[in-house]
Amino acid sequence: MIWNEEMECISRDDLEELQLRRLQDTVKRVYENVPYYKRKLEENNIYPEDIESLEDIKKLPYTTKDDLREVYPFGMFATPRKDIIEVHTSSGTTGKPVVSGYTREDIEIWGEVMARGLTMMGVTEDDIIQNTHGYGLFTGGFGVHYGAQKIGATVIPISTGQTRRQIEIMKDFGTTVMIFTPSYGLYLSEVAEEEGHNPKKSQLKAIGFGAEMWTEEMRRELERRFNAPAFNIYGLTEIIGPGVAMECPEKDGLHIFEDHFYPEIINSKTGETLPPGKRGELVITTLTRIGMPIIRFRTKDITSINYDECGCGRTLARISRITGRVDDMLKVRGVSVFPSQVEKALLKVDGLQPHYQIIVTRPHLMDEMEVKVETSPEIFSDDIGEMMKLQKKIEDYIRDEIGLRVKVTLVEPKTLPRSEGKAVRVIDKRKF
Amino acid sequence: MKVKQISIFLENKKGRLWKALNILKGAGINIRALYLADTSEFGILRLIVPEPEKARKVLEENDFAVKMNEVIAVELEDKPGGLASILKILKDSQINLEYIYAFVHEKKDKAILFLKADDIDKTIKALQDSNAKILPAEEVYKL
């Protein structure tokens, strides 16, 4: 089944014509309504009328996450605030979060793209979707919710956590579609077995997963444990949330909804546009967002793009699964973590040197994060109790900063590896 | 009356204790008494050495986190009840101990107790008032 055959199977020529029209409209709207973009375009000596072909998109300046923070909270809105009917923010970021504002039309688009993706997974109005993504400022919960409602499926908005309850409901309500992050899915299956419920015997027909990096092995493991196919969902708050790109049953990349989001792959160092098949940083321009259009957003996610026809019949291009980041951002249990946040927390402790190392592992399905911190003569105390208190205090500060509980280990001074004088900050032992 | 003790932060990792002690060996420093307190992740090595300042310096030069503090050395009868009699003095004087460690003396029938309390001067006074024998630092270093 294809949700919107007209758009999802559109010819390249028709699509490009539509994209150009929408790009011109978007550039015009941001120039006229967003002072930030007006200034930025003028600085680059670019005006809406300069966009005469899709190629001209290269003339437009990039937008970074820092740019979006600079105008916190509502500076990127292209409509009066009263037209914004919902806001979300990015998760676990340093300093101020990025706010995304949605008009009624934007919520409509969000539901539309998620409906397309859920349809790829085989979801219909007969299904019962258990949505374990968090409902709140995080976009995960609501994105799936709007898509499912558009299709007319029954949504169980259970959100994250309460694992035993999740299993009970899955069984009692006869859930047919599960939405979770890969690590939470694996954990859920374990608990289910402990509870004497075999997830293989459930009525699941599909799983949608996203919000963190994963491997093909992990997908196969999820599919084996739940005896249902698992589909990858990609999205980001700055653009709309989940539903920017999703996997079809061919599972050979994620169809990016190009009529709404214009993708480019660039060399993140030189800014040069890369040809199809080459890996680089994904850059997205929204083509239809009303409340908060974004021009050439640097996602920092690494992928490649493929314009070949897909076996499923859709003509929309596909991006490969995300295999890395341009920056040092980590996803731990679905939460974005920057080493700089850890550093900020450490600097709150008097006498502590910000010499640390983050070690991320997945010892038993769930991500674990350990932060090794060097002691210094200033913070060292002869009293074991004081040292334990210090350890706990650092753990609390880090939790306040990133929203995750981590394990802090105190190590001897100058024992953490340094390269060119700077400590090697992150060791990610998970296999992606 | 006060004896200098150096405390060293050690990771609970193979070879760390050896490394610290090897540094002292290299500096020709002999250890008079030693006490290692540990948790599952780290330990604190407490040492009584004849030249605490020198020991601290060489350890710090080798990137160890070191703290210098003071403890009291009390001579005990090496017989049942010897330690208990000292603890009773402290209990009766409402003194909280942080930790203690004891060694058998070379002198026959004697043991030495090192103790760390929150208020060192008050502790010394209480011990003196009860006629406990506190050893001067020089004597301890010469042990």
Side-chain angles (χ1 to χ4, degrees), chain A residues 375-384 387-388 391 407-415, chain B residues 5 7-11 16 37-39 41-42 44 46 63-67 69 99 116:
Chain A
T375 41
S376 61
E378 295 83 65
I379 60 157
F380 171 50
S381 159
D382 174 50
D383 184 337
I384 289 253
M387 293 300 279
M388 305 276 277
Q391 205 170 343
K407 179 178 147 44
V408 164
T409 307
L410 295 169
V411 301
E412 291 168 25
K414 302 197 180 137
T415 50
Chain B
Q5 171 193 260
S7 304
I8 304 149
F9 178 85
L10 291 179
E11 265 172 74
R16 300 310 300 167
D38 72 318
T39 69
E41 284 140 22
F42 63 87
I44 298 175
R46 289 146 183 161
D63 297 328
F64 278 94
V66 183
K67 270 262 148 62
N69 37 55
Y99 52 82
K116 175 95 161 54

Side-chain angles (χ1 to χ4, degrees), chain A residues 31 49 106 289 341 425:
Chain A
Y31 182 76
E49 54 274 22
D106 293 330
R289 283 293 301 275
Q341 290 173 284
R425 295 294 187 213

Side-chain angles (χ1 to χ4, degrees), chain A residues 107-152:
Chain A
I107 295 290
E108 182 63 28
I109 293 165
W110 201 7
E112 158 74 18
V113 289
M114 272 309 300
R116 291 183 192 175
L118 291 170
T119 304
M120 289 179 189
M121 291 166 51
V123 176
T124 69
E125 58 189 3
D126 294 324
D127 284 301
I128 299 178
I129 301 187
Q130 188 164 335
N131 185 10
T132 80
H133 278 344
Y135 281 70
L137 283 173
F138 174 56
T139 49
F142 281 96
V144 170
H145 191 89
Y146 292 138
Q149 294 217 318
K150 198 158 184 75
I151 291 173

